[in-house]
């Protein structure tokens, strides 16, 4: 099944089943479109001619060097087994579907016809407020703060932000160390649902599923906390 068909099915699932399905769509598209290094059987030595910038051609099945991404594909390379051009990552570089995502980078755009018809994805260095495509990794220390269903060529995109006390995040966002979840909005994040993050402190009412940071413990329960979902008060451990 080609990527476009998978994306359409995932988007339909997310719309039909709400926030939980929207979160699942991130993982599904990531597994399909961004599933790591290329695979296949190597049958010959890859071509060594390259585009400069430290890049090289490699046969299908050979590992992608650390810090490199895949930027082109030659189906006739390596005696017909196919070859891939890999080069060091840089801000704004376009990569082929299946390319690894280097640490500190996110995926910010998509072209279905890129990489000789395989589809391509633009990699950018993360920064506060950047919009990323569904399936992009979330860089450690960031949260997902907004969602736009029709962004990134129709796949949908998500805004990455540095956390602060009281920030609202989308369903599926990681919780940064030292923060807890204190509120919920069903219609937030363009319908995906949103959760409020606060820096942990004594007396906060936390939502079901919220982490309890080191040095704290959850105490009494209040059914009306977390916008009616119920919650537990934080106290010192």
């Amino acid at each position: 099944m080609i990527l476009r068909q998978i994306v359409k099915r995932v988007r339909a699932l997310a719309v039909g089943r709400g926030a939980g399905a929207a979160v699942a769509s991130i993982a599904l598209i990531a597994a399909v479109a961004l599933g790591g290094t290329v695979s296949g059987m190597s049958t010959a030595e890859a071509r060594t001619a390259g585009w400069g910038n430290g890049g090289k051609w490699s046969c299908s099945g050979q590992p992608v060097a650390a810090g490199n991404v895949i930027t082109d594909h030659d189906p006739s390379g390596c005696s017909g087994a196919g070859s891939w051009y890999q080069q060091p990552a840089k801000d704004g570089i376009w990569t082929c579907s299946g390319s690894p995502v280097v640490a500190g980078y996110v995926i910010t755009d998509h072209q279905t016809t890129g990489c000789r018809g395989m589809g391509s994805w633009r990699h950018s260095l993360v920064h506060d407020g950047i919009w990323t495509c569904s399936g992009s990794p979330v860089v450690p220390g960031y949260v997902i703060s907004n969602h736009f269903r029709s962004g990134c060529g129709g796949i949908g995109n998500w805004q990455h932000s540095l956390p602060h006390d009281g920030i609202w995040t989308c369903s599926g966002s990681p919780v940064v160390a030292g923060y807890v979840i204190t509120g919920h909005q069903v219609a937030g994040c363009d319908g995906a649902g949103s959760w409020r993050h606060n820096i942990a402190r004594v007396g906060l009412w936390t939502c079901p599923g919220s982490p309890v940071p080191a040095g704290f413990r959850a105490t009494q329960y209040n059914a009306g906390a977390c916008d009616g979902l119920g919650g537990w008060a934080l106290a010192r451990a």
Side-chain angles (χ1 to χ4, degrees):
M1 181 182 296
I2 64 173
L3 178 61
R4 179 178 289 275
Q5 291 172 322
I6 295 171
V7 168
K8 286 182 178 179
R9 291 191 178 186
V10 171
R11 291 181 64 203
L13 177 65
V15 172
R17 298 188 181 178
V23 175
S25 72
I26 300 178
L28 179 55
I29 296 175
V32 174
L34 309 170
T37 59
V38 295
S39 61
M41 181 175 294
S42 175
T43 60
E45 291 293 326
R47 288 190 290 143
T48 57
W51 297 341
N53 299 321
K56 68 176 184 179
W57 286 93
S58 58
C59 293
S60 295
Q62 291 183 339
V64 179
N68 279 16
V69 290
I70 301 169
T71 56
D72 198 5
H73 173 230
D74 182 2
S76 63
C78 292
S79 300
S83 58
W84 305 82
Y85 190 79
Q86 54 175 289
Q87 64 186 101
K90 62 181 179 180
D91 192 31
I93 195 169
W94 284 91
T95 71
C96 298
S97 295
S99 172
V101 182
V102 175
Y105 283 79
V106 288
I107 300 166
T108 55
D109 204 357
H110 175 227
Q111 291 181 339
T112 56
T113 59
C115 203
R116 307 196 195 199
M118 295 188 62
S120 57
W121 305 81
R122 185 166 60 193
H123 288 209
S124 303
L125 286 167
V126 70
H127 61 76
D128 189 28
I130 194 170
W131 283 90
T132 71
C133 296
S134 294
S136 173
V138 181
V139 174
Y142 282 77
V143 293
I144 302 171
S145 57
N146 207 350
H147 177 222
F148 181 46
R149 290 181 182 272
S150 59
C152 203
I155 293 174
N157 56 8
W158 305 80
Q159 189 172 34
H160 284 41
S161 301
L162 289 168
H164 59 78
D165 192 40
I167 191 171
W168 283 92
T169 71
C170 298
S171 295
S173 172
V175 182
V176 174
Y179 281 77
V180 291
I181 302 171
T182 59
H184 178 231
Q185 291 180 339
V186 175
C189 273
D190 200 16
S194 58
W195 303 83
R196 186 172 58 208
H197 289 208
N198 287 101
I199 297 172
R201 55 184 177 269
V202 172
L204 279 180
W205 290 93
T206 63
C207 298
S210 171
V212 179
F216 291 88
R217 60 189 175 91
T219 57
Q220 70 264 32
Y221 176 77
N222 182 344
C226 193
D227 298 297
L229 293 180
W232 292 262
L234 282 182
R236 286 292 178 188

